[in-house]
Amino acid sequence: MNKVILLGRLTRDPEVRYTQGNEPMAVARYSLAVDRQGKKDENKQNADFISCVAFGKRGEFAEKYLHKGTKIAVCGRLQTGSYTAQDGSKRYTTDVVVDEHYFCESKGATSEATATDEDGFMNVPDGVEDDGLPFN
């Protein structure tokens, strides 16, 4: 079984490109900073920076609603690949292919503590229809 679940913050705005052809498809790439468990040591890296890629509607969603600092949860699968660089060396890649992504805090809380309404639920960003389905 190949299943990945991550909780982290975007390190930069998603980079979105569209495929060529009759029906262009969005391909969004972004990186998540995911905290490591355990004590924080000033001399060691305390987060992992994980590359994610979202296709189609998920890519369009990322382009429209995800920004640097946004805290999200991602569900997907791990995918590895390789290519030959211009200098002739072999390069290896590892990405999480996004199946679902969820907001983990309200729109205004990106730089603040997590904000919720009086019932303890996160707010849905403006312009997103709340149909009870995951944002995927």
Side-chain angles (χ1 to χ4, degrees):
M1 179 186 297
N2 184 353
K3 181 85 171 177
V4 175
I5 301 172
L6 301 171
L7 176 66
R9 292 191 184 275
L10 272 75
T11 61
R12 57 184 162 77
D13 287 346
E15 178 183 309
V16 181
R17 296 183 179 174
Y18 285 82
T19 61
Q20 304 272 329
N22 293 340
E23 295 182 34
M25 177 177 59
V27 179
R29 294 188 172 276
Y30 54 87
S31 178
L32 278 183
V34 179
D35 288 336
R36 291 182 179 169
Q37 284 186 320
K39 278 188 167 181
K40 294 192 176 198
D41 185 352
E42 292 179 24
N43 300 325
K44 292 185 181 178
Q45 181 178 343
N46 294 315
D48 291 301
F49 300 90
I50 302 176
S51 297
C52 299
V53 60
F55 296 97
K57 294 282 187 197
R58 292 170 194 90
E60 293 171 16
F61 180 88
E63 179 178 35
K64 189 171 183 179
Y65 297 109
L66 302 183
H67 306 286
K68 180 179 179 177
T70 304
K71 188 174 187 178
I72 62 170
V74 169
C75 299
R77 60 186 169 82
L78 202 59
Q79 180 172 295
T80 60
S82 64
Y83 65 95
T84 304
Q86 289 181 344
D87 63 4
S89 63
K90 186 108 174 176
R91 304 284 172 96
Y92 297 93
T93 62
T94 303
D95 295 301
V96 172
V97 177
V98 177
D99 291 328
E100 306 166 73
H101 36 218
Y102 303 89
F103 289 105
C104 292
E105 63 188 4
S106 67
K107 186 167 74 172
T110 299
S111 60
E112 307 168 7
T114 301
T116 59
D117 65 15
E118 60 275 355
D119 295 326
F121 291 98
M122 299 292 170
N123 297 320
V124 175
D126 296 336
V128 175
E129 291 183 29
D130 186 10
D131 57 7
L133 298 175
F135 300 115
N136 57 9

